[in-house]
């Protein structure tokens, strides 16, 4: 907890935790101002925050604190304007180093996931094999671009259609069974040989592998 003079920015009082975190003695800090321990708090920034605090009465911001040895750490500062015998700025300062590390780790994880998704999408988009994503009713939710080369259909012609409409009537029972098995057994693969109608009307034999 820091009590600050709104006119000069100097420390008027503070608790022992501030001394411990910053590595200064109480006497050393009482001889300093907020700008001495917060490198972002130059006179212009202090004036801006003071004016905002005067209007609202309270202000929460992220900043940094600089230790006596010159190292810094991120903090969250909850500031209030207090009127007693005179005006005071009271700051409750919390070390958020761990939160920042967690945020950085999350961003790194998200970046890796995004890169993996981009790689996965690129592999699918450029695959020579047909890659089809179906829902539980057999409706095509995604069709890889290779469908045009192999079957004559552009992906957008197949998406939203029921795959069974393009499969030979004698093969639909086998395909339904493979779909049911895949849905009931996540992670396992179920092969099915089927005849798929090319856009020109010919039947093409496909070796399909279903996986949930």
């Amino acid at each position: 907890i820091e009590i600050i003079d709104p006119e000069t920015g100097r420390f008027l009082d503070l608790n022992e935790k501030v001394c411990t975190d910053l590595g200064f003695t109480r006497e050393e800090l009482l001889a300093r101002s907020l700008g001495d321990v917060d490198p972002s708090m130059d006179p212009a920034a202090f004036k801006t925050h003071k004016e905002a605090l005067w209007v609202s009465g309270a202000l929460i911001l992220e900043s940094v604190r600089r230790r006596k040895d010159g190292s810094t750490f991120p903090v969250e500062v909850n500031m209030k304007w207090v009127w007693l015998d005179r005006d005071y700025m009271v700051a409750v300062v919390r070390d958020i180093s761990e939160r920042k590390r967690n945020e950085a780790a999350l961003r790194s994880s998200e970046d890796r996931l995004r890169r993996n998704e981009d790689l996965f999408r690129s592999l699918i988009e450029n695959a020579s094999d047909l890659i089809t994503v179906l829902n539980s009713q057999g409706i095509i939710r995604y069709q890889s671009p290779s469908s045009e080369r192999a079957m004559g259909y552009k992906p957008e012609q197949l998406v939203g259609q029921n795959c069974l409409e393009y499969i030979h009537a004698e093969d639909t029972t086998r395909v339904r069974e493979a779909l049911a098995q895949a849905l009931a057994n996540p992670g396992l693969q179920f092969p099915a040989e089927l005849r798929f109608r090319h856009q020109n009307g010919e039947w093409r034999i496909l070796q399909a592998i279903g996986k949930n």
Side-chain angles (χ1 to χ4, degrees):
I1 299 175
E2 303 165 347
I3 300 177
I4 303 160
D5 183 347
E7 296 302 321
T8 65
R10 295 182 69 85
F11 292 115
L12 299 175
D13 202 358
L14 39 84
N15 65 355
E16 187 61 30
K17 186 68 164 59
V18 180
C19 302
T20 302
D21 286 352
L22 298 182
F24 290 98
T25 65
R26 174 182 172 79
E27 290 71 24
E28 287 175 327
L29 285 172
L30 291 178
R32 287 170 167 77
S33 65
L34 181 59
D36 293 324
V37 299
D38 185 340
S40 70
M41 199 63 67
D42 58 28
F46 181 76
K47 181 175 183 293
T48 298
H49 291 314
K50 184 177 73 171
E51 291 174 350
L53 188 60
W54 173 260
V55 172
S56 64
L59 186 67
I60 297 177
L61 56 95
E62 288 190 5
S63 189
V64 293
R65 284 294 182 268
R66 181 167 51 206
R67 301 182 182 93
K68 188 175 182 178
D69 63 10
S71 62
T72 60
F73 59 96
V75 294
E76 180 182 85
V77 184
N78 189 328
M79 302 187 74
K80 294 185 183 299
W81 197 286
V82 178
W83 297 271
L84 295 173
D85 58 315
R86 53 164 293 180
D87 290 346
Y88 298 94
M89 293 169 63
V90 179
V92 178
V93 184
R94 184 163 64 93
D95 185 343
I96 56 172
S97 298
E98 183 176 358
R99 188 176 83 189
K100 288 297 185 181
R101 285 192 294 269
N102 291 338
E103 290 174 352
L106 178 59
R107 285 194 298 270
S108 177
S109 177
E110 289 174 342
D111 288 342
R112 287 196 301 272
L113 178 60
R114 191 176 300 110
R115 288 195 296 270
N116 289 339
E117 288 176 343
D118 291 342
L119 176 60
F120 183 63
R121 186 178 300 109
S122 177
L123 290 173
I124 288 179
E125 295 293 327
N126 295 286
S128 58
D129 291 335
L130 292 169
I131 298 176
T132 306
V133 178
L134 309 172
N135 67 10
S136 57
Q137 287 75 47
I139 302 299
I140 300 172
R141 312 307 295 176
Y142 171 83
Q143 180 61 59
S144 63
S146 54
S147 63
E148 187 170 9
R149 174 189 56 77
M151 308 307 301
Y153 299 99
K154 294 181 178 179
E156 56 268 26
Q157 292 178 285
L158 296 175
V159 172
Q161 304 297 317
N162 193 310
C163 69
L164 297 176
E165 296 177 3
Y166 298 86
I167 296 172
H168 197 285
E170 296 177 1
D171 300 334
T172 55
T173 299
R174 188 184 313 113
V175 172
R176 285 194 179 96
E177 290 174 351
L179 287 172
Q181 290 289 338
L183 289 170
N185 299 274
L188 297 182
Q189 297 181 353
F190 294 89
E193 188 173 279
L194 57 93
R195 284 164 287 182
F196 196 95
R197 188 178 69 247
H198 192 281
Q199 191 180 41
N200 64 14
E202 297 178 354
W203 292 101
R204 300 289 176 88
I205 299 176
L206 299 179
Q207 179 66 48
I209 298 177
K211 182 178 180 180
N212 182 8

